[in-house]
């Protein structure tokens, strides 16, 4: 997959994983497979919702991820994504 589609875009400091998955699933149209059961358990948090500034930056980088891949960002992206991140910040 890395040889075909490339590595993480290190220009994106917060949303590199988001851009990578967007590129694989939407641009390259790679198939995914559902694997039942818990494979990874992660705590809420991380760089993208550590502060309001990071939430804002993550939102900008998410929008940029669409642009870098020649995709049109959904209309709801600038509104809904930050609201979900703020909710995580409060929990």
């Amino acid at each position: 997959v890395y040889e075909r589609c490339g590595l993480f875009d290190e220009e994106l400091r917060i949303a590199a994983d988001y851009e990578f998955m967007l590129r694989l699933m939407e641009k390259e149209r790679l198939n995914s497979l559902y694997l039942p059961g818990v494979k990874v358990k992660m705590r809420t948090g991380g760089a993208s919702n550590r502060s309001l500034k990071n939430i804002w930056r993550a939102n900008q980088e998410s929008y940029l991820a669409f642009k870098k891949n020649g995709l049109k960002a959904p209309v709801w992206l600038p509104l809904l994504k930050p609201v979900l991140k703020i909710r995580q910040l409060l929990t």
Side-chain angles (χ1 to χ4, degrees), residues 14 45-55 85 88-89:
I14 295 177
S48 65
N49 61 351
R50 191 165 290 146
S51 67
L52 290 175
K53 180 180 175 182
N54 281 12
I55 290 171
K85 289 291 182 182
Q88 288 179 14
L89 181 66

Side-chain angles (χ1 to χ4, degrees), residues 2-61:
Y2 290 124
E3 288 177 9
R4 176 179 163 190
C5 303
L7 303 173
F8 282 81
D9 183 343
E10 294 182 9
E11 282 184 23
L12 303 174
R13 296 183 60 208
I14 295 177
D17 55 344
Y18 182 86
E19 185 278 331
F20 183 70
M21 293 304 296
L22 180 70
R23 185 171 3 122
L24 297 183
M25 306 302 277
E26 294 296 323
K27 184 177 180 182
E28 299 294 334
R29 296 286 191 201
L30 295 183
N31 292 322
S32 62
L33 176 68
Y34 174 73
L35 299 173
V38 176
K39 306 298 181 230
V40 175
K41 188 171 183 176
M42 298 173 63
R43 288 182 275 166
T44 302
S48 65
N49 61 351
R50 191 165 290 146
S51 67
L52 290 175
K53 180 180 175 182
N54 281 12
I55 290 171
W56 176 253
R57 183 173 184 165
N59 194 52
Q60 289 177 310
E61 288 187 8

